[in-house]
Amino acid sequence: MEKRKTPVRGGLFFNNNSYSVCADTKADVTLIDMQTATIRAYPKIKAWFQTHSVWIVLTLTLTYALIFIVFAIWKYINFHYDALDLAIYNQVFWNTAHGKLFGLTIHPHSYLGDHIELTLLLFAPFYTIFQHPITLLIIQTLWIASAAIPLFWIAQKILNKLWALLFTAAYLANAFIHNINTFEFHMLPLALPLLFILYWAYEKKNFRIYLLAIILLIFTREDIALVTFFFGFLPLLEKKQKRWWLMPMILSALWFPIALKITTLASGYEQYKFAYYYGWLGTTPQAIIQTFFTEPTKVLSYVFQVGNTFFLITILLAFALLPLFKMKYLIPTIPILAQFLLLGKGSGSIILETHYLTLIIPWFFISIIHVVKEWQMQPKPSQMWPIKRWVLQKLRSEPSIAIPIIITIFIYTFFTMSPLPSAAQTFVREIRNPNPKKAIQDDLLKNIRPTDVVVSSYNTLTHLSSRNTVYSLHYLWTGKKQLSDEPYWINTPVDTLYYDSENFLEYYFHWKKNAGFENFFDQGDNRMRAFLSEQKLVPSTVIDDIIVFRRAENAQADEISVKNNKRSVEPQNIYTLYQNIPKMKKTVDRKLSDEITLLGWNRLNQAHRLPYKTISRSLIWRVEKTPENTPFLRLQVRNPKKQILYQKFYALGYGVLPPTEWKQGDIIATNYWFVIPENFIQSGNIVTINLENFESGTFTLDGLRSANITEMKTKPTGPAVPIARF
């Protein structure tokens, strides 16, 4: 009896191991020939991938590592690591390498007061070889990349080598993994390979590696103990031997309270430092439990606020909702999701763009692996939910539609949420229009001695963190310790204060526009002036929006590169108060706002004679009345057609003496050495200034996962005045 041929969409028929075609018209023959050739070649292609799977995984992993190491180095040398964490870790590693275990001065306590991350000591010997922030960035990238290998092992055991290769590629191309890698440095991403190893050892029934993974995980950070504890429910549900679920639960339950006690004592706070985020629930465990039962509406309003809803929908859609079809493997994520959803101000995009998803992503991949396994096994429909049954049936019956949809989702997520597209755009833009600020900062940092006690702005804190004592200027500005109402002050004698007044704009959006934190901004300049006076710090070098303050006796020691030569820099004033109107090179006498009149300007001495084009101006103002809002100075370069080629905002008085401190009738000169990028210095171009008020803006992470002001909208308060023409 002749075997029946089973038709396949597109005119192809399978008959055991042979193929035949059925063409409706002659026009179909070429297409069918191509389809037939592809199908016949598939076993060979599959065999090649399976034979070379190990080399493919290693190649993908090393390619990923190379890309992100280069990206990290580029980001570092261009001063884009400005969110504090890399600076903190680098100082901790530097002090540890020099015998001060977990030593830290950026926060006024040992690093153990932030987190209990004992695995940090395992990496200290590697850091000792090359004591630099780049070392940490390379270590982090290699660890994140290495997680692809145990993921491959898991997928290979549960599925096959071909699927394992697909999951490896999906992991390395995942936008959230890229964000974890790009946003600063943390010890937490060490959990990525360890979590995969934990589950691989569980699947392989290798209890020794399983136990070692648990120990390394809970020592990586204190809250990982919550994940390993909840992981214990998985072998319990799968009815494994007691040791498989008892060991993670017992070790986690023992270590977690011990770790919290250690970090609380080390911080000097009355409770676990990061419990501050959950203060709305209560200040004690009893009060928190009581809130859940007595105020359920309040709890639900926090859990389901807009930011949290956005976070949940985004991360689930990014994985095509597939993890929901094997929710058993999401049990370890419960405590981490609870942390995010109970945050007082919601989670939103910050969690998606930083390292916080580290403890969630592995379980999403593991869950999807089991979804694929179930899809292949075709279990009885009665064993599934109706929605799950419908989705899996569609995946089986319409793979040519379902699979492209899933692939499209992954590609869309990459281009919308990965930092790589933004990095490529920024790289091209900076090649076309080089920012002179990088070269300026490189020059200024060379003059700060390794032994100096330094206070620094955000973007140079990382570069100055390889030293015994360094402080972050923003804590001095707020006058408060991190996550605390306790006062903050620096009593140690300071040699250098590096102040990028661009931070004043960031402070404005971070605190002035953030309800409840206005005092951080309003009183910050008073604290700044008091500190400068107490420490006897004076401006040593002023370039564009950067001021380097040094002790009065050392203020003439700075040197700036002038091509290949060096010359000393005289101390400079950043503002001057006059009793009467001084003589002026150019008289303007125009009101740039209702409160402030620009009387005119004088040229300043080019004391620093930099290899950059500077426009030095002493802008002389008369205060008609003290401004209620903080106006900012906008400088623009326009071409003869009045098109804006370049613009930049500056803080009036550099934020050290902002306009809100000016008194009615005051005559004030603010001194600037504006740096203009060379490609905008062309004959006929004109430089103008005007005052603007900020109407809106957000201090958040940009495409490079650096802290920056986005969505900024301003409103002019008066006319623009020319101050130079090329």
Side-chain angles (χ1 to χ4, degrees):
M1 181 177 178
E2 184 181 356
K3 294 184 179 179
R4 295 184 61 185
K5 298 177 180 178
T6 305
V8 177
R9 187 185 304 274
L12 292 174
F13 290 86
F14 288 94
N15 185 8
N16 294 337
N17 293 325
S18 63
Y19 309 94
S20 60
V21 298
C22 176
D24 296 329
T25 66
K26 291 183 178 180
D28 294 331
V29 172
T30 302
L31 176 60
I32 292 173
D33 287 344
M34 293 174 61
Q35 292 176 329
T36 304
T38 301
I39 291 175
R40 287 175 175 171
Y42 174 74
K44 294 182 180 180
I45 296 172
K46 180 180 178 181
W48 186 90
F49 274 101
Q50 290 177 333
T51 303
H52 298 84
S53 60
V54 173
W55 289 108
I56 294 171
V57 170
L58 291 176
T59 301
L60 291 174
T61 302
L62 292 175
T63 301
Y64 170 95
L66 179 62
I67 291 171
F68 277 89
I69 287 173
V70 171
F71 180 19
I73 294 173
W74 173 83
K75 184 177 175 181
Y76 173 81
I77 64 177
N78 284 279
F79 297 90
H80 291 306
Y81 282 104
D82 55 4
L84 210 64
D85 292 347
L86 177 57
I88 289 173
Y89 275 103
N90 185 63
Q91 195 197 16
V92 172
F93 270 93
W94 192 91
N95 276 322
T96 298
H98 288 80
K100 295 178 63 177
L101 297 184
F102 301 102
L104 178 66
T105 59
I106 295 175
H107 290 160
H109 52 67
S110 162
Y111 182 70
L112 294 176
D114 281 352
H115 292 293
I116 305 299
E117 298 178 340
L118 302 184
T119 48
L120 182 150
L121 299 175
L122 298 177
F123 295 97
F126 298 99
Y127 179 85
T128 304
I129 298 171
F130 181 56
Q131 299 174 26
H132 197 280
I134 288 177
T135 302
L136 299 182
L137 297 173
I138 292 173
I139 289 173
Q140 175 173 259
T141 299
L142 292 176
W143 267 110
I144 292 173
S146 70
I149 296 173
L151 173 61
F152 174 83
W153 296 340
I154 294 169
Q156 177 181 292
K157 183 182 185 305
I158 297 174
L159 301 170
N160 56 48
K161 286 185 178 180
L162 201 58
W163 275 108
L165 288 174
L166 289 174
F167 274 97
T168 300
Y171 168 83
L172 294 172
N174 185 268
F176 301 125
I177 295 298
H178 299 171
N179 288 334
I180 292 169
N181 207 148
T182 303
F183 176 69
E184 301 289 314
F185 170 89
H186 302 88
M187 288 299 298
L188 188 61
L190 173 61
L192 285 170
L194 291 177
L195 285 172
F196 283 131
I197 289 171
L198 172 71
Y199 189 77
W200 173 79
Y202 171 70
E203 284 285 337
K204 293 286 288 185
K205 299 179 181 179
N206 189 324
F207 190 75
R208 289 183 179 179
I209 295 179
Y210 180 77
L211 183 59
L212 178 61
I214 293 171
I215 294 171
L216 289 174
L217 278 164
I218 63 177
F219 284 171
T220 296
R221 206 170 89 167
E222 69 280 353
D223 54 342
I224 297 180
L226 297 174
V227 175
T228 52
F229 180 87
F230 273 75
F231 173 78
F233 286 104
L234 190 58
L236 182 63
L237 290 173
E238 294 183 345
K239 299 179 180 180
K240 302 294 184 182
Q241 293 178 342
K242 287 184 179 180
R243 62 176 182 169
W244 292 97
W245 57 268
L246 270 179
M247 193 56 67
M249 286 185 167
I250 291 174
L251 290 177
S252 302
L254 288 174
W255 176 246
F256 185 63
I258 293 173
L260 290 190
K261 186 64 175 179
I262 294 172
T263 191
T264 301
L265 291 173
S267 69
Y269 289 28
E270 294 181 356
Q271 59 182 2
Y272 178 49
K273 184 176 181 178
F274 297 98
Y276 176 90
Y277 289 124
Y278 308 97
W280 63 274
L281 282 168
T283 57
T284 64
Q286 294 81 1
I288 292 173
I289 294 172
Q290 183 178 351
T291 301
F292 274 95
F293 287 100
T294 59
E295 300 182 66
T297 305
K298 180 181 179 181
V299 174
L300 290 175
S301 68
Y302 272 85
V303 170
F304 292 105
Q305 58 187 297
V306 175
N308 289 341
T309 305
F310 168 79
F311 158 67
L312 287 174
I313 292 175
T314 301
I315 190 172
L316 288 172
L317 285 177
F319 286 89
L321 303 178
L322 293 176
L324 294 177
F325 299 123
K326 274 294 181 181
M327 294 188 68
K328 177 175 68 173
Y329 299 97
L330 301 183
I331 291 175
T333 69
I334 290 174
I336 305 305
L337 289 173
Q339 287 182 32
F340 297 156
L341 299 178
L342 293 174
L343 284 172
K345 291 195 173 182
S347 307
S349 62
I350 293 297
I351 291 174
L352 300 173
E353 295 174 350
T354 58
H355 62 298
Y356 293 115
L357 289 179
T358 295
L359 302 178
I360 291 179
I361 296 299
W363 304 110
F364 273 46
F365 276 99
I366 290 169
S367 177
I368 295 174
I369 288 172
H370 284 278
V371 170
V372 173
K373 179 183 178 181
E374 190 170 49
W375 170 59
Q376 290 181 330
M377 291 178 61
Q378 301 186 21
K380 296 179 181 179
S382 59
Q383 298 175 351
M384 302 184 202
W385 311 333
I387 295 178
K388 181 178 179 180
R389 181 170 62 248
W390 180 83
V391 170
L392 291 181
Q393 285 176 348
K394 286 295 180 183
L395 285 172
R396 294 190 195 100
S397 62
E398 300 287 348
S400 60
I401 297 176
I403 293 177
I405 290 175
I406 294 173
I407 293 173
T408 301
I409 290 172
F410 275 87
I411 293 174
Y412 176 80
T413 302
F414 172 82
F415 282 103
T416 57
M417 304 208 71
S418 172
L420 289 182
S422 180
Q425 294 174 9
T426 305
F427 181 75
V428 171
R429 184 172 63 249
E430 292 191 358
I431 288 178
R432 291 177 177 174
N433 301 307
N435 187 350
K437 190 167 185 176
K438 176 192 177 301
I440 292 171
Q441 292 181 124
D442 285 335
D443 270 337
L444 293 175
L445 292 180
K446 291 175 184 176
N447 296 308
I448 299 176
R449 298 182 295 267
T451 56
D452 280 358
V453 175
V454 178
V455 179
S456 174
S457 291
Y458 289 131
N459 58 346
T460 48
L461 187 64
T462 295
H463 292 70
L464 293 167
S465 60
S466 297
R467 64 187 63 239
N468 183 63
T469 309
V470 63
Y471 302 98
S472 178
L473 178 61
H474 84 285
Y475 286 129
L476 180 66
W477 195 276
T478 64
K480 299 292 183 182
K481 296 179 182 179
Q482 185 191 35
L483 305 179
S484 172
D485 292 326
E486 294 184 19
Y488 178 92
W489 194 251
I490 300 171
N491 295 310
T492 305
V494 170
D495 299 301
T496 302
L497 189 151
Y498 185 104
Y499 174 50
D500 185 339
S501 62
E502 185 179 349
N503 283 178
F504 184 77
L505 282 72
E506 296 168 344
Y507 296 162
Y508 181 82
F509 286 104
H510 195 188
W511 297 314
K512 183 66 174 179
K513 294 295 185 179
N514 198 346
F517 295 91
E518 298 91 343
N519 186 59
F520 284 3
F521 178 81
D522 293 337
Q523 298 301 317
D525 60 279
N526 296 328
R527 284 186 281 267
M528 176 81 159
R529 292 194 303 276
F531 181 77
L532 294 173
S533 176
E534 179 182 299
Q535 294 274 348
K536 298 180 180 179
L537 296 168
V538 298
S540 173
T541 307
V542 185
I543 307 172
D544 201 46
D545 54 0
I546 300 172
I547 309 171
V548 178
F549 294 90
R550 294 184 67 85
R551 286 190 170 275
E553 61 269 23
N554 299 323
Q556 297 185 25
D558 286 348
E559 292 183 331
I560 300 295
S561 296
V562 183
K563 295 184 179 179
N564 296 322
N565 301 316
K566 295 275 189 178
R567 73 184 305 277
S568 295
V569 176
E570 299 297 328
Q572 299 161 275
N573 292 324
I574 56 176
Y575 57 81
T576 305
L577 298 177
Y578 290 102
Q579 295 292 330
N580 300 301
I581 298 176
K583 292 182 179 180
M584 293 176 288
K585 176 73 174 179
K586 175 69 175 179
T587 300
V588 177
D589 199 17
R590 296 187 69 178
K591 294 184 72 173
L592 299 195
S593 73
D594 292 338
E595 300 93 350
I596 300 173
T597 297
L598 178 63
L599 297 176
W601 50 263
N602 286 316
R603 287 192 174 92
L604 294 165
N605 293 329
Q606 293 280 14
H608 35 271
R609 288 176 54 192
L610 291 167
Y612 322 111
K613 176 63 178 178
T614 61
I615 298 175
S616 56
R617 295 290 184 268
S618 178
L619 304 174
I620 301 168
W621 313 89
R622 182 176 63 227
V623 184
E624 309 300 337
K625 62 178 179 179
T626 301
E628 294 182 3
N629 297 316
T630 304
F632 290 83
L633 183 71
R634 181 173 71 168
L635 178 141
Q636 291 183 330
V637 178
R638 296 173 179 263
N639 63 17
K641 296 180 180 180
K642 297 185 178 181
Q643 296 172 321
I644 299 173
L645 304 177
Y646 169 80
Q647 71 173 8
K648 183 172 180 176
F649 287 92
Y650 293 83
L652 275 175
Y654 293 91
V656 178
L657 187 70
T660 50
E661 297 290 336
W662 299 0
K663 306 302 180 185
Q664 184 175 2
D666 282 350
I667 307 297
I668 298 175
T670 57
N671 303 325
Y672 293 95
W673 287 262
F674 300 114
V675 175
I676 309 297
E678 289 185 7
N679 49 323
F680 300 117
I681 303 173
Q682 299 176 11
S683 178
N685 287 352
I686 189 171
V687 181
T688 65
I689 60 169
N690 70 292
L691 298 183
E692 306 233 351
N693 284 331
F694 288 126
E695 293 189 324
S696 63
T698 304
F699 183 56
T700 186
L701 298 180
D702 60 17
L704 297 178
R705 305 304 175 249
S706 303
N708 216 330
I709 302 169
T710 61
E711 302 175 355
M712 184 170 62
K713 293 183 180 179
T714 64
K715 182 179 181 180
T717 61
V721 175
I723 61 169
R725 184 185 296 273
F726 298 119

